[in-house]
Amino acid sequence: MQPQIILLKEGTDTSQGKPQLVSNINACQSIVDAVRTTLGPRGMDKLIVDTKGNATISNDGATIMKLLDIVHPAAKTLVDIAKSQDAEVGDGTTSVVLLAGEFLKQLKPFVEEGVHPRIIIKAVRKALNLCVTQINELAFKIEKHDNEKHRALLEKCAATALNSKLIHQQKEFFSKMVVDSVTTLDALLPLNMIGIKKVTGGALEDSMLVEGVAFKKTFAYAGFEMQPKSYDNVKIALLNIELELKAERDNAEVRVDNVAEYQKVVDAEWQILYDKMAKIHQSGAQVVLSKLPIGDVATQYFADRDMFCAGRVPEEDLKRTQKACGGAVMTTVQDISDKVLGKCAHFEERQIGRERFNLFQGCPNAKTCTIILRGGAEQFLEETERSLHDAIMIVRRTIRNDSVVAGGGAIEMELSKMLRNHSRTIAGKEQLLIGAMAKALEVIPRQLCDNAGFDATNILNKLRQKHAQGCQWYGVDIMKEHIADNFEAFVWEPSVIKINALTAACEATCMILSVDETIKSPRSGGEEQRQPPMGRGMGRPF
């Protein structure tokens, strides 16, 4: 007898072959079912409570996927594609998961019947290439030189992104705000130059866009209320200096013989602080912002000289102030001059809800802006912020990639028709596989109907008929429970969303189909060892 060859560590779990592949596809299906109902204007929200008891209410596919603590290794692929779609485009995170899940669902019968995964993968890649080519041909190019038309188009794209969100009632108000905020940025459109601040209370319509920088009033000492709260043509000193008397360190030791000597030590410390403040005052700055604390002595000193100060300003806000107002963040007071001071036309401290905000407006280099959101519950504000993030990303993408397609399931139906027609021109297994991909693409309009409570079969039949007649932009009309030309209805999306979503979904499909074995090693010091042995141990009662 040959001795048994032990290759893997004891306790290693291995499963392989067709059952493993089908099991992976089934795991992905259950993930898709978790986000399926969030798609579209009539999509439902999910309430997710984490281990610490924090509740998140969200409609955003990527947020839900991040918060679901998924253990299954194959299903994690879907989380990754949702994250990549969020990072690259910002919107379409639910669509990408739905598409990947539906591709796998339609291809599962072929796997069960014994078609080799490599043949299926080849067909998936071919279908993807056909779809991307078709989108590029169909996409409508934007005229950039006509500013009014271009702006109107950006607003329509932002409104489409907000359509499926919690704040869709106020989409017109917010789409204007989003386009205003993105168009104030410089050519590189850096996302971190749009600040979003949340203030509970008030209505959503009380939200405002500040062209410049706004941040909450920082921690303040006595004397703060005596400072002026409004300036015109202001000079701003941006510092990274501590302006307060330090408590003696525990391990510091100064030996003195008499009280006069001790007094000299104390006076020296005060003198250093007063010298610093005198130099800041002489520089002509009227507003002093520092990343480090500004103490009570300094606050009173500035108040006596009609200067405004704020210490412990968050680094992000300080950097944005520097970008908007010019100047430099100084770490010493020795050479503060006009060159390093920021400037803006108007500074004021304003009460917004319960909070007080410092607003810098009319900045010479205003390449930054701040959206101040108002609303009721904390979770509601957080969801509004996520919705605006998606819309901002869409507008950025549309500015960079100047082509759009119709949303609402229109482009998916057109691609489905094209793939179905193409499949009839080829022979062999590939015909069936590409036909399955064509059917899978219909999941988006079907789900839009299901989520709105419409008869999906009836509406899809009407859509197939219209697309067969050559009406390429017909999609689901949620408002009238019918179909409509979504290009004329201004349901527009950047074509880059669709290309990215299809590419990511096909990659995930190919990756899951190419796995036929899972090897799971036991944890080191495995759980098996940690459990007490069965039976009666020492000292246990009978």
Side-chain angles (χ1 to χ4, degrees):
M1 264 192 49
Q2 284 214 334
Q4 188 183 1
I5 299 169
I6 295 173
L7 189 64
L8 299 169
K9 203 161 66 172
E10 196 179 347
T12 303
D13 175 26
T14 67
S15 45
Q16 64 189 99
K18 200 193 296 177
Q20 175 58 35
L21 227 171
V22 174
S23 138
N24 284 348
I25 293 175
N26 291 342
C28 293
Q29 285 315 127
S30 50
I31 297 283
V32 173
D33 290 340
V35 293
R36 188 184 285 283
T37 53
T38 66
L39 184 77
R42 295 277 192 272
M44 309 298 277
D45 294 357
K46 304 285 178 208
L47 170 61
I48 300 165
V49 185
D50 64 11
T51 45
K52 295 175 187 166
N54 300 328
T56 307
I57 299 173
S58 183
N59 182 289
D60 182 38
T63 308
I64 296 166
M65 300 292 273
K66 279 178 206 161
L67 292 171
L68 291 176
D69 202 1
I70 292 161
V71 182
H72 195 285
K76 278 185 180 168
T77 317
L78 296 188
V79 183
D80 291 341
I81 59 170
K83 282 183 185 170
S84 82
Q85 179 80 2
D86 195 37
E88 182 63 25
V89 190
D91 197 20
T93 46
T94 310
S95 308
V96 73
V97 176
L98 262 179
L99 284 168
E102 193 65 18
F103 288 158
L104 289 167
K105 183 180 171 184
Q106 296 296 340
L107 296 169
K108 183 174 151 191
F110 297 99
V111 174
E112 286 169 337
E113 283 165 20
V115 178
H116 196 281
R118 280 287 148 208
I119 296 170
I120 301 177
I121 289 170
K122 188 181 167 195
V124 170
R125 293 203 192 283
K126 186 170 180 184
L128 171 65
N129 290 337
L130 288 166
C131 286
V132 172
T133 313
Q134 180 78 348
I135 291 175
N136 287 328
E137 281 175 17
L138 288 173
F140 173 74
K141 282 275 184 288
I142 305 159
E143 303 288 323
K144 277 198 173 174
H145 50 76
D146 187 342
N147 282 342
E148 275 185 27
K149 269 190 186 171
H150 191 223
R151 188 190 160 80
L153 175 123
L154 293 177
E155 282 181 18
K156 303 227 171 63
C157 287
T160 307
L162 292 172
N163 239 338
S164 60
K165 306 293 180 194
L166 203 61
I167 52 172
H168 62 90
Q169 302 288 345
Q170 288 85 5
K171 67 179 181 189
E172 295 209 351
F173 173 74
F174 280 113
S175 55
K176 283 192 177 71
M177 188 183 279
V178 164
V179 174
D180 285 338
S181 66
V182 178
T183 46
T184 53
L185 301 179
D186 58 21
L188 290 171
L189 304 175
L191 201 59
N192 59 350
M193 285 294 128
I194 301 177
I196 298 182
K197 305 290 177 189
K198 304 186 285 282
V199 184
T200 45
L204 268 179
E205 280 86 2
D206 297 339
S207 303
M208 55 195 268
L209 176 73
V210 179
E211 287 199 16
V213 185
F215 51 83
K216 277 182 196 171
K217 168 182 168 260
T218 54
F219 181 81
Y221 288 94
F224 178 79
E225 293 306 337
M226 296 157 68
Q227 297 177 347
K229 298 291 183 280
S230 172
Y231 294 97
D232 285 322
N233 298 325
V234 59
K235 291 184 178 177
I236 307 156
L238 305 166
L239 308 174
N240 189 5
I241 304 172
E242 204 163 7
L243 294 174
E244 69 176 341
L245 295 164
K246 300 294 287 172
E248 282 72 23
R249 295 267 155 73
D250 297 343
N251 57 357
E253 187 177 315
V254 180
R255 299 198 174 193
V256 289
D257 316 63
N258 53 38
V259 178
E261 294 279 324
Y262 176 67
Q263 190 59 43
K264 275 183 190 171
V265 174
V266 174
D267 288 349
E269 191 181 10
W270 279 73
Q271 196 54 49
I272 290 167
L273 181 62
Y274 274 116
D275 285 349
K276 280 183 185 174
M277 294 188 299
K279 286 205 167 91
I280 293 167
H281 175 56
Q282 284 158 20
S283 71
Q286 293 140 305
V287 173
V288 182
L289 303 179
S290 179
K291 193 173 143 192
L292 297 173
I294 293 180
D296 45 359
V297 177
T299 307
Q300 189 62 56
Y301 179 94
F302 290 135
D304 294 343
R305 285 155 186 76
D306 282 347
M307 291 165 72
F308 176 91
C309 70
R312 296 185 185 149
V313 178
E315 186 174 8
E316 169 207 4
D317 291 327
L318 200 66
K319 277 187 175 169
R320 284 183 39 240
T321 311
Q322 182 191 350
K323 272 270 167 66
C325 304
V329 177
M330 302 298 289
T331 50
T332 170
V333 292
Q334 297 310 322
D335 45 0
I336 293 187
S337 63
D338 244 19
K339 281 185 203 164
V340 296
L341 294 180
K343 293 174 183 63
C344 78
H346 185 65
F347 165 81
E348 69 170 315
E349 186 174 290
R350 194 191 299 176
Q351 186 84 19
I352 300 176
R354 287 184 316 180
E355 308 286 352
R356 273 155 72 175
F357 269 76
N358 300 333
L359 307 179
F360 296 85
Q361 289 166 302
C363 309
N365 322 7
K367 302 286 185 202
T368 177
C369 57
T370 310
I371 296 172
I372 298 174
L373 293 177
R374 307 297 313 278
E378 191 70 36
Q379 283 104 331
F380 186 76
L381 277 175
E382 281 175 13
E383 178 60 7
T384 306
E385 183 184 1
R386 282 191 285 270
S387 308
L388 287 186
H389 170 264
D390 282 12
I392 287 166
M393 291 289 278
I394 287 299
V395 174
R396 285 176 70 220
R397 282 282 154 213
T398 316
I399 290 173
R400 284 190 184 160
N401 308 69
D402 53 348
S403 64
V404 291
V405 291
I411 186 75
E412 283 84 5
M413 288 304 292
E414 186 61 23
L415 293 176
S416 175
K417 181 197 89 172
M418 179 272 299
L419 283 183
R420 204 174 276 113
N421 291 346
H422 179 80
S423 71
R424 294 190 185 119
T425 63
I426 49 180
K429 295 174 192 159
E430 213 169 53
Q431 177 182 17
L432 296 169
L433 294 167
I434 288 183
M437 293 287 284
K439 190 169 182 222
L441 281 166
E442 290 180 353
V443 69
I444 301 287
R446 183 184 296 279
Q447 199 58 49
L448 285 173
C449 296
D450 286 347
N451 289 353
F454 302 162
D455 181 351
T457 314
N458 180 22
I459 286 183
L460 278 176
N461 281 337
K462 287 180 186 169
L463 280 177
R464 287 192 199 105
Q465 181 191 0
K466 279 284 182 192
H467 282 266
Q469 290 166 0
C471 305
Q472 60 190 27
W473 295 129
Y474 263 76
V476 184
D477 185 347
I478 296 286
M479 299 305 158
K480 295 178 182 162
E481 195 173 336
H482 198 61
I483 59 173
D485 188 328
N486 279 352
F487 205 81
E488 285 184 10
F490 300 123
V491 181
W492 291 356
E493 300 187 67
S495 54
V496 67
I497 295 187
K498 296 298 173 197
I499 292 173
N500 214 63
L502 282 166
T503 310
C506 287
E507 275 177 12
T509 307
C510 294
M511 198 154 97
I512 289 162
L513 287 171
S514 61
V515 172
D516 75 332
E517 181 169 4
T518 304
I519 302 168
K520 204 172 179 187
S521 299
R523 290 186 183 171
S524 50
E527 290 166 17
E528 291 79 8
Q529 285 101 310
R530 282 205 293 273
Q531 291 173 348
M534 293 298 291
R536 188 176 151 270
M538 282 183 64
R540 281 197 188 177
F542 282 104

